[in-house]
Amino acid sequence: MSIVILAIESSCDETAASVCADGNILSNYIANQKVHEQYGGVVPELASRAHMQNIIPVVDTALKTAGCGLNDISATAFTQSPGLIGSLLVGAQFAKSLSLALNKPLLAVHHMQAHVLANLIAEPKPSFPFLCLTVSGGHTQIVLCESPINMKVIGETIDDAAGEAFDKSAKLIGLPYPAGPLIDKYAQLGNPDRFKFPEPQVAGLDFSFSGLKTSILYFLQNAGTSNIYKEEFMATEDEKKKFIDDNLNDICASIQHRIITILLNKLKKASVQTGITDICIAGGVSANSGLRKAFSEMGEKHKWRTFIPAFEYCTDNAAMIAITAYYKFLENDFADLSVSSSARAEW
Ligand code: KG4
Ligand code: ZN
């Protein structure tokens, strides 16, 4: 008998549902919440309300696309943590209610583990143990993955996440939220070596992006003349705007280039330290075309086997929750109805 899982993801501002049968994704449906664009970032209360409006049609579409009815479901799964608590609760309550009504088991999934296991959705798959650089709006981690349920974070950011570095840089440039994909687009037309931003010196396998943000702030305030704060360098608002308009592609390419080199230099270090050469990337920032290309080139150079999820499985989605839930199901790693959602969660 097949194991059919209905999975729900609602940790931030995407309401998503997916059906997976024996580890094969049958549907993956996402409703984006446009309501946040006017505020320049996700507004938690509005996100929760939008999840409540979206969840029934989203689950319905995922079931119909998969050709399933509720009675075909073997278990329901949901994102338990981390995320916005009000958003998480909508998905959790919905999955728990279904589990209770259908009398089927419940699976609670960690969002960051699910990003890693997005690499197990399609062939070719990495062999265990593998390393995964997980780069999203809230996290930047190097994960050592021994098995689908046995993972360890061996490096992580000590301040901002890589996605935040993209989003905050974009805000300084004046690009609208969510701006990671816009930096990606302009960077493709620019010269990545035109402007130099510093690489932070952080011990071990950890990352830091807050210094880069400050450096970009001063660089823009000074209309490109310097990366340090000095009164005499300060440009007027008009001069700053003109500098950005005239150099947008090169500024985006140079910022993106520095974020990518920070990420990949640590990943290379992790491979040398562990001796592991099956290496994946995951999370929203792994949709970045510059990172995907540089990662593949680094893999060829160092004889790694590299793996990148399809675009639809990089940013937040429920297929990654479904595949993780499938492996938990195989291990009988079920949750009971008392399981609580958590905004922050240790591994
Ligand atoms: O994994 P994700 O969808 O949500 C979180 O769990 O945080 O990641 C969202 C992050 C945002 O910071 C967004 O700007 C970034 O991924 N992102 C990108 C690209 N697409 C999404 N960053 C750079 N280039 C992209 N193409
Ligand atoms: Zn995510």
Side-chain angles (χ1 to χ4, degrees):
M1 216 180 77
S2 292
I3 300 170
V4 180
I5 293 171
L6 169 65
I8 294 164
E9 151 64 29
S10 68
S11 63
C12 190
D13 60 338
E14 329 275 6
T15 319
S18 169
V19 176
C20 128
D22 296 328
N24 299 307
I25 301 300
L26 302 184
S27 65
N28 179 37
Y29 187 68
I30 302 176
N32 301 111
Q33 301 181 358
K34 298 275 173 235
V35 62
H36 307 287
E37 276 169 17
Q38 58 187 302
Y39 301 102
V42 178
V43 183
E45 173 64 21
L46 295 180
S48 313
R49 289 174 190 220
H51 283 307
M52 280 159 55
Q53 283 170 349
N54 291 343
I55 196 146
I56 291 177
V58 164
V59 167
D60 207 33
T61 306
L63 284 167
K64 284 199 176 109
T65 311
C68 287
L70 283 175
N71 289 332
D72 301 315
I73 301 300
S74 323
T76 59
F78 68 100
T79 304
Q80 181 200 359
S81 64
L84 301 171
I85 192 67
S87 293
L88 288 166
L89 283 169
V90 178
Q93 296 314 320
F94 197 88
K96 285 181 185 181
S97 307
L98 268 185
S99 156
L100 191 62
L102 300 172
N103 195 23
K104 298 289 178 186
L106 183 68
L107 296 143
V109 173
H110 191 292
H111 182 88
M112 297 313 295
Q113 290 183 349
H115 269 305
V116 174
L117 295 191
N119 282 286
L120 300 187
I121 289 177
E123 298 291 348
K125 295 174 188 166
S127 305
F128 295 100
F130 64 80
L131 293 177
C132 184
L133 171 70
T134 315
V135 271
S136 71
H139 293 80
T140 298
Q141 300 175 325
I142 299 177
V143 180
L144 171 55
C145 206
E146 303 269 9
S147 77
I149 56 161
N150 186 0
M151 299 182 202
K152 191 164 76 182
V153 177
I154 58 171
E156 61 190 327
T157 183
I158 56 170
D159 42 54
D160 291 347
E164 265 179 296
F166 272 103
D167 295 337
K168 289 180 177 172
S169 308
K171 199 167 185 177
L172 293 173
I173 298 168
L175 298 176
Y177 174 89
L182 280 180
I183 295 212
D184 189 352
K185 182 177 141 197
Y186 295 124
Q188 289 175 35
L189 305 168
N191 173 4
D193 298 318
R194 170 93 186 278
F195 302 113
K196 299 271 175 249
F197 296 105
E199 180 159 6
Q201 303 303 313
V202 185
L205 298 176
D206 288 340
F207 303 88
S208 167
F209 289 99
S210 64
L212 175 64
K213 183 182 59 192
T214 311
S215 160
I216 294 167
L217 172 74
Y218 293 146
F219 170 80
L220 294 173
Q221 275 179 353
N222 301 336
T225 52
S226 167
N227 277 350
I228 54 169
Y229 177 78
K230 275 200 181 163
E231 282 293 333
E232 61 265 36
F233 293 151
M234 292 284 268
T236 63
E237 275 308 305
D238 284 350
E239 286 167 337
K240 181 179 149 189
K241 188 173 176 317
K242 181 169 186 328
F243 171 72
I244 294 173
D245 288 347
D246 291 348
N247 299 284
L248 182 62
N249 295 341
D250 289 347
I251 295 171
C252 289
S254 301
I255 293 172
Q256 179 172 298
H257 175 69
R258 176 48 77 216
I259 295 173
I260 292 171
T261 52
I262 293 171
L263 292 171
L264 292 186
N265 285 346
K266 288 290 172 134
L267 193 55
K268 186 168 76 186
K269 198 169 173 182
S271 172
V272 171
Q273 271 184 23
T274 58
I276 294 173
T277 54
D278 268 24
I279 307 190
C280 311
I281 55 175
V285 179
S286 65
N288 181 269
S289 59
L291 177 60
R292 293 167 88 94
K293 183 163 175 280
F295 172 62
S296 299
E297 285 169 0
M298 183 171 261
E300 270 171 40
K301 187 168 163 207
H302 296 287
K303 305 215 168 3
W304 299 345
R305 291 202 318 147
T306 54
F307 304 86
I308 312 178
F311 275 105
E312 61 187 316
Y313 303 135
C314 286
T315 45
D316 287 349
N317 65 88
M320 68 183 193
I321 306 300
I323 195 83
T324 308
Y326 169 67
Y327 286 105
K328 288 188 140 216
F329 191 107
L330 294 180
E331 297 288 330
N332 288 320
D333 187 0
F334 298 110
D336 66 42
L337 290 172
S338 66
V339 63
S340 45
S341 302
S342 166
R344 298 194 165 272
E346 298 303 321
W347 285 47

